[in-house]
Amino acid sequence: MGHVGNLGAAPAPALLLQLPRDWTGTELAQRLGVSGRTIRTDVQRLRDLGYPVAATRGNVGGYRLGAGADLPPLLLDDDEAVAVTVGLRTATGGAIAGIEEASLRALAKLEQVLPSRLRRRVSALQTYTVPVPRDDAGPSVDTEILTALAAVCRDRERLRFDYADHSGAATVRAVEPYRLVSWGRRWYLFAWDLDREDWRTFRVDRMRPRIPTGPRFAPRELPDDVAAYVSSRVSAAAWRYRARVTVHAPAEVVGERISPAVGVVERVDEHTCVLDTGADSVETLGAHLGLLDADFDVTGPPELVAHLRCLTARYARSTPDR
């Protein structure tokens, strides 16, 4: 089992070798200001510590840190150590089931070997940071399911799984999985649905993968922005009220003022666009439209039209003529 090494006692080439590239002995010696003999000695020390340092000979030969059967000592610089420590503390309250205990164990091991200067930095962050509790409880997902989904995305293997939709109806889906998307406390699988022949988004907490997985598939061209695609589809699925609003502003300008979760902007001409938007309430819809900072035309739904007329009268009363 690996452990976090003491930075001061680590051989000098260790941090450089962790970068994903080959290093010649000459390059390492020049970067570190030591002799080639020192580099060879330090490389051997790394191997004795358990690092799988591969070496090739010849004019283009060099050193590269490979993957081994066991986890060797982990070498972090100061900023990396602080980032990992803070990240582990944050993960203890995350949305992944079972990761809290593992995060606490890893955190205890890391803090035990942190130099005092880094303990002070981490302690200051903890002492003077006040987190606001999340108001969206959200479901938790199983770590094993997440890792299994990541593996089929990586290996491009078809997947069949039992799925419960938002109404609770159970179905069996067959997909080509491409990406896991994390949004707040929820996880989604972005995949090509083989039966519907289109891109679909699935809540991971509602999935139960069927093992073994299917055959490998040839990759398809992904949408330009998978995160934006997922957020817009997920939001739209939850909308109670929808509206197509003509906005008297360029599509590029409107697109910069809203997130994909609010709606989709369609260009009409250089001065006008249509915003396909929605929300769970007409009050939220009205707030979205107010943030556009542009003139717009609304024809429906009737509940939104009535709400905007109410807002018009309210704002007029709030600014009486003097």
Side-chain angles (χ1 to χ4, degrees):
M1 181 177 295
H3 61 280
V4 178
N6 184 319
L7 292 180
L15 290 175
L16 292 179
L17 286 175
Q18 288 183 128
L19 299 176
R21 56 159 291 185
D22 290 327
W23 294 87
T24 66
T26 301
E27 287 176 324
L28 289 173
Q30 290 175 346
R31 286 288 296 269
L32 299 171
V34 298
S35 67
R37 181 178 179 180
T38 299
I39 292 297
R40 291 190 293 273
T41 300
D42 284 346
V43 166
Q44 186 56 51
R45 288 179 57 204
L46 283 172
R47 288 170 174 160
D48 293 340
L49 285 170
Y51 286 88
V53 181
T56 56
R57 299 183 181 278
N59 295 332
V60 294
Y63 298 103
R64 173 183 285 270
L65 186 63
D70 298 315
L71 181 65
L74 178 62
L75 301 175
L76 304 172
D77 63 27
D78 285 7
D79 290 340
E80 291 169 343
V82 171
V84 170
T85 305
V86 173
L88 285 171
R89 286 184 173 177
T90 303
T92 59
I96 304 176
I99 202 172
E100 298 89 348
E101 183 181 350
S103 298
L104 284 172
R105 293 199 307 268
L107 180 61
K109 294 175 183 178
L110 180 59
E111 291 187 331
Q112 183 179 4
V113 296
L114 280 180
S116 59
R117 67 181 186 279
L118 299 187
R119 282 204 199 95
R120 287 195 296 270
R121 287 177 58 180
V122 173
S123 178
L125 275 171
Q126 182 182 27
T127 302
Y128 296 100
T129 300
V130 181
V132 176
R134 299 182 66 97
D135 56 5
D136 55 336
S140 62
V141 300
D142 190 282
T143 309
E144 292 185 2
I145 292 180
L146 273 181
T147 54
L149 294 179
V152 291
C153 290
R154 178 197 63 205
D155 299 336
R156 296 174 182 167
E157 294 178 347
R158 288 185 177 181
L159 177 70
R160 295 179 74 244
F161 56 91
D162 298 292
Y163 190 68
D165 63 19
H166 65 280
S167 66
T171 58
V172 178
R173 313 298 285 268
V175 303
E176 295 175 352
Y178 281 85
R179 295 290 187 273
L180 281 170
V181 178
S182 171
W183 186 6
R185 291 178 59 85
R186 286 191 170 92
W187 288 83
Y188 298 88
L189 175 69
F190 177 70
W192 179 265
D193 192 307
L194 294 168
D195 294 326
R196 291 154 181 80
E197 297 185 341
D198 198 2
W199 296 110
R200 288 291 189 271
T201 299
F202 303 95
R203 283 260 300 267
V204 173
D205 59 287
R206 296 174 178 169
M207 298 175 60
R208 292 296 177 267
R210 293 191 174 192
I211 305 298
T213 56
R216 300 191 67 180
F217 58 86
R220 302 173 188 270
E221 184 176 353
L222 293 171
D224 292 335
D225 189 334
V226 171
Y229 187 99
V230 170
S231 63
S232 63
R233 268 55 178 185
V234 169
S235 297
W239 289 342
R240 180 181 177 188
Y241 298 97
R242 299 187 67 113
R244 285 182 60 83
V245 181
T246 301
V247 185
H248 299 284
E252 297 78 10
V253 174
V254 175
E256 292 176 353
R257 293 175 182 170
I258 66 169
S259 75
V262 172
V264 178
V265 179
E266 304 171 8
R267 185 181 187 275
V268 176
D269 54 43
E270 59 180 318
H271 303 295
T272 313
C273 63
V274 171
L275 173 62
D276 187 350
T277 185
D280 194 46
S281 67
V282 292
E283 291 79 10
T284 301
L285 249 181
H288 289 165
L289 296 177
L291 292 173
L292 294 176
D293 193 27
D295 293 338
F296 56 86
D297 301 323
V298 175
T299 58
E303 297 90 342
L304 175 61
V305 174
H307 175 66
L308 292 177
R309 287 173 177 165
C310 178
L311 286 179
T312 300
R314 182 177 300 157
Y315 290 153
R317 291 193 299 270
S318 69
T319 55
D321 296 333
R322 300 295 184 186

